[in-house]
Amino acid sequence: MSQVKRKKVADSIIFVALSAGAVFMIAPLLWMISTSVKTKSEVFALPPVWIPSEFDFSKYSEIWEAGPLLSGIQNSLIISLTVTIVGSFTSSLAAFAFAKLRLKNKNALFLLLLSAMMIPYPSLMIPQFSMFAGAGWIDTLLPLIIPPIFGNIVMVFFLRQYLINVPNAVIEAAKIDGTSFFGIFTKIIFPLIKPAIAAQFILWFMAVWNDYLAPIIYLNSPDKLTIQLVIANFNATYAIQTDYPLIMAASIIALLPMLIIFLIFQKQIIESIAISGVKG
């Protein structure tokens, strides 16, 4: 068999394997969408019904009365957007400082910052809860917003590694022209790292939006719950009634903001991957 034929066979095998993997990955999402427009009897039908005989969209109107879904979405949006927008700015500033500024012991400080990633969150829950309780922040959104807006360690690390490849000559030339450090950041550095920030932004937004542990620790009132806690309450209440179409409809509504964020930033994410590949 010639080398060209072997390559075609290998490409075909890889394509089939990736296609099979894609089917397994997207099947749960398709099942969720299908279930949201089924009747209860079709949910438990054997063999499984993928395409309902009649599309029932009534659950998409019922979910708004079944629980505080709207306030959950609002609270999650407030937390996620505030944390990711402000936190991305502070993280990029920190990454710029660690990568390009001449600071004493900055490498040791950076290693100390990275070591904080090794501390498991459960070991911090009780001290943080006591601290926030003393500040009167329990059952408010503040414990979920204030700490993260000062930066994300993973994002700082990622952007710092990205900035190391930026030539120092560009920054030195800007200094000679009299540009301040903040001016260098806003006019030179930030435009260069926008694709990297976009890639990290969507990952961070997804993590904050899907967070369940921290909100359940600090939030109690129904009007303060995030969307994930509302969905969990839906599961506890309506799974007993086997009303899975309602649960799936609420889950799809909760998925939409992440899908919108991805669609907005997909171009920058692809650019980030392409640039990283070129640099590698």
Side-chain angles (χ1 to χ4, degrees):
M1 185 181 293
S2 65
Q3 185 176 356
V4 175
K5 288 185 177 180
R6 285 198 298 269
K7 187 177 185 303
K8 287 183 177 180
V9 171
D11 290 344
S12 300
I13 293 173
I14 293 173
F15 177 78
V16 171
L18 292 177
S19 299
V23 169
F24 280 106
M25 292 178 67
I26 201 171
L29 177 62
L30 296 177
W31 180 258
M32 182 173 69
I33 296 172
S34 173
T35 302
S36 69
V37 294
K38 291 177 183 175
T39 61
K40 290 184 181 180
S41 59
E42 287 178 322
V43 173
F44 299 99
L46 290 175
V49 176
W50 282 90
I51 302 176
S53 57
E54 184 176 347
F55 291 89
D56 181 10
F57 294 95
S58 61
K59 297 302 178 182
Y60 285 93
S61 58
E62 289 182 25
I63 55 177
W64 305 103
E65 301 174 359
L69 188 67
L70 182 59
S71 63
I73 293 174
Q74 290 174 342
N75 292 332
S76 289
L77 283 175
I78 291 171
I79 295 169
S80 301
L81 291 177
T82 304
V83 166
T84 50
I85 291 174
V86 179
S88 295
F89 178 71
T90 54
S91 296
S92 56
L93 279 176
F96 171 54
F98 281 122
K100 294 302 177 183
L101 298 189
R102 296 175 182 175
L103 303 173
K104 187 177 181 180
N105 298 323
K106 70 173 184 180
N107 291 332
L109 184 60
F110 182 68
L111 289 176
L112 182 64
L113 186 67
L114 288 181
S115 66
M117 296 173 59
M118 303 178 188
I119 304 174
Y121 180 69
S123 66
L124 302 175
M125 289 191 300
I126 295 177
Q128 282 188 347
F129 184 87
S130 300
M131 181 176 65
F132 294 141
W137 288 4
I138 301 302
D139 203 25
T140 71
L141 303 183
L142 294 177
L144 306 174
I145 294 176
I146 300 302
I149 64 173
F150 292 100
N152 179 288
I153 298 174
V154 175
M155 191 171 192
V156 172
F157 173 77
F158 181 83
L159 294 179
R160 176 186 177 272
Q161 299 305 110
Y162 198 91
L163 279 171
I164 287 176
N165 295 299
V166 176
N168 291 328
V170 176
I171 297 174
E172 296 299 328
K175 285 183 186 178
I176 294 173
D177 290 338
T179 309
S180 64
F181 284 115
F182 189 74
I184 294 173
F185 173 78
T186 55
K187 297 176 182 178
I188 300 175
I189 299 300
F190 189 79
L192 288 174
I193 63 175
K194 274 199 300 185
I197 292 177
Q200 289 297 304
F201 180 91
I202 188 173
L203 294 175
W204 195 5
F205 182 90
M206 291 172 60
V208 177
W209 181 267
N210 290 323
D211 188 17
Y212 177 80
L213 181 58
I216 202 173
I217 293 173
Y218 299 114
L219 305 178
N220 302 311
S221 303
D223 61 326
K224 295 291 196 307
L225 300 182
T226 61
I227 185 62
Q228 301 306 327
L229 298 185
V230 174
I231 297 296
N233 291 339
F234 275 19
N235 289 335
T237 303
Y238 296 100
I240 299 175
Q241 304 174 21
T242 64
D243 198 348
Y244 292 105
L246 186 141
I247 296 173
M248 294 303 171
S251 300
I252 290 172
I253 296 298
L255 179 67
L256 289 178
M258 286 191 295
L259 180 62
I260 293 170
I261 290 292
F262 176 77
L263 292 175
I264 292 173
F265 289 101
Q266 63 175 333
K267 180 181 178 181
Q268 286 80 3
I269 294 172
I270 294 172
E271 287 179 3
S272 174
I273 297 171
I275 293 172
S276 299
V278 171
K279 288 181 179 178

